[in-house]
Amino acid sequence: MGGKKLHNHNNNNNGAVDTNSNNSNRNGTTTTTTTTVKPPPVTLQQSPIINLDRGDPSVFEPYWRKNGGKCTITISGHDSLSYFSDPNSVCWYMEPELQEAIRRVHRVVGNAETEGCHVVAGTGSTVLFQAALYALSTSSSSSVAAEPMKVVCAAPYYSQYKEQVELLQSRLYEWGGDAETFDGSAAPFIEVVTSPNNPDGSLREAAVANKTGNGKLIHDLAYYWPNYTPITRPADYDIMLFTLTKCTGHAGSRIGWALVKDVEVAKKMTTFMQITTIGVSKDSQLRAAKILNVVAEDCEQHAADKTFFGESRKLMAERWEKLREAVKDKKDVFTLPKYPKRYCNFSGRYFQPAPAFGWLECKEGCDASALMKAHNVLTRGGETFGVSSRYTRISMIGREEEFERFIERISGIQCVDEEDEEEEEEEEGLVVMNGNNGGDVIRLGNGTSNGHGKWLEQVEVQ
């Protein structure tokens, strides 16, 4: 049987194919040759898409997998049957346990003053924002003003403010744009102040409302927690919005709350909730109360670094360190904001903010979101935040494996000089080169320019 050839094909752990051939020579002996066929390299088109557009706070999932047993609650079949929780309260559908837990966690963290405030619960802070707009834009007689009140926010502003204001095309209020360029002297208006700001992480105060006397303020403080930023003082404003989503990461529970000083405003916000949703899920409220009480008790009994906020802050700081290291040598492509160290009253130390989002800025003429998309990374472009396409927002609060893939991919982004353009196009299929206006623009494969410093997205990425 000496001349017979045997072929065995086996896949190894790397996906390579080993071909073993046994060949008989003239002397009857057999020689074996092995050929290893390596799989083709993974191209950019084949690499997985990384979605960093959404702000889904799954970054905290490992912590709650480890400690979540403390948050278990039991809800019996006869529980939560009624619409009402406390008929004598301004927010009559709010469970007393949740209100007490909210006041407790703010007290131990020191990020908001609750004394003298009414607490209004909502399905996340989104619906509370709409409730606040309704409350502030209606008079005591509920009459409709001749002209809708303008709603403004300093750019870059949270992308959904504009969408939420314009959704119902209300006669009560309408979007007024960037607060920095708004003339608030003519008529009453509403200014939204987000601090720390989404998307750029900056700490803010009102841009125009305090200057004219005509402005009514809504403070969105969703990220004013020590896992993102130093707590320098208790916030003390007329309307303050918070959400469980960004506080502990439990976005799926859909619980938010507003701290409201004026009882009439609190009543109107409750009326909005009554008309639109007839309150908030009691099951979610009870779960949120349990979670907040566990967090508060942890803060009361342990050093700050050993609490949920301490461990979460460390995790966020490590991610920011990795991101800054990855972009350190890419100043010709993009830059990140720098945040000063501040003293945190909660932790008792100085540290830099570690925002939930990274705010990337590219050179003039470069579309930052398109640049990320060319590397299969989805982000949210600057235009949705009221600024130019040079900026884009990336989520820092996704799952670990997703973030690590992003760090690897962002490290491969290149920026070349014009004289290297042709050579780089052939080798890489993607370059960032000098545009007609002196800025950097993106070129993908054999794409063509749209004449405004941006390259068309439908070109092939090689």
Side-chain angles (χ1 to χ4, degrees), residues 20 51 72 248 411 431:
N20 300 319
N51 191 338
T72 301
T248 65
S411 300
V431 297

Side-chain angles (χ1 to χ4, degrees), residues 182-194:
F182 178 72
D183 180 7
S185 60
F189 63 93
I190 300 171
E191 181 177 356
V192 188
V193 181
T194 310

Side-chain angles (χ1 to χ4, degrees), residues 56-63 315-316 319 396-399:
D56 199 32
S58 49
V59 61
F60 305 130
E61 183 179 329
Y63 177 90
L315 176 59
M316 293 300 298
R319 288 197 172 187
M396 300 288 289
I397 52 178
R399 286 188 166 84

Side-chain angles (χ1 to χ4, degrees), residues 181-354:
T181 59
F182 178 72
D183 180 7
S185 60
F189 63 93
I190 300 171
E191 181 177 356
V192 188
V193 181
T194 310
S195 186
N197 189 43
N198 176 2
D200 65 1
S202 62
L203 296 179
R204 287 184 164 185
E205 294 291 345
V208 62
N210 293 335
K211 299 176 182 178
T212 65
N214 289 332
K216 301 180 180 182
L217 288 167
I218 300 173
H219 281 81
D220 186 342
L221 305 178
Y223 300 96
Y224 193 48
W225 296 98
N227 40 351
Y228 305 111
T229 190
I231 303 302
T232 57
R233 61 179 177 84
D236 189 14
Y237 302 107
D238 290 341
I239 302 176
M240 298 178 282
L241 305 182
F242 293 90
T243 172
L244 194 70
T245 298
K246 301 308 185 292
C247 174
T248 65
H250 292 85
S253 292
R254 307 308 307 128
I255 290 293
W257 61 93
L259 302 178
V260 185
K261 289 187 176 182
D262 189 321
V263 65
E264 295 303 321
V265 172
K267 287 179 179 179
K268 286 203 168 192
M269 291 179 67
T270 301
T271 298
F272 180 91
M273 295 297 303
Q274 175 182 332
I275 295 171
T276 56
T277 64
I278 318 181
V280 178
S281 165
K282 289 187 179 181
D283 297 352
S284 291
Q285 289 189 61
L286 293 174
R287 183 179 189 228
K290 182 67 173 181
I291 292 168
L292 291 176
N293 275 320
V294 167
V295 169
E297 183 177 354
D298 202 27
C299 293
E300 291 167 345
Q301 296 182 354
H302 300 94
D305 287 349
K306 303 298 182 182
T307 65
F308 163 76
F309 292 117
E311 292 192 25
S312 300
R313 188 201 70 80
K314 180 180 178 182
L315 176 59
M316 293 300 298
E318 289 173 351
R319 288 197 172 187
W320 269 93
E321 184 178 354
K322 290 179 180 179
L323 178 60
R324 291 195 185 280
E325 184 65 25
V327 304
K328 182 173 61 176
D329 299 326
K330 299 185 180 299
K331 294 180 180 179
D332 56 344
V333 184
F334 39 58
T335 57
L336 286 164
K338 294 181 179 179
Y339 306 106
K341 286 186 177 182
R342 290 186 172 90
Y343 184 79
C344 177
N345 293 326
F346 172 76
S347 64
R349 63 171 60 182
Y350 286 88
F351 64 83
Q352 284 183 324

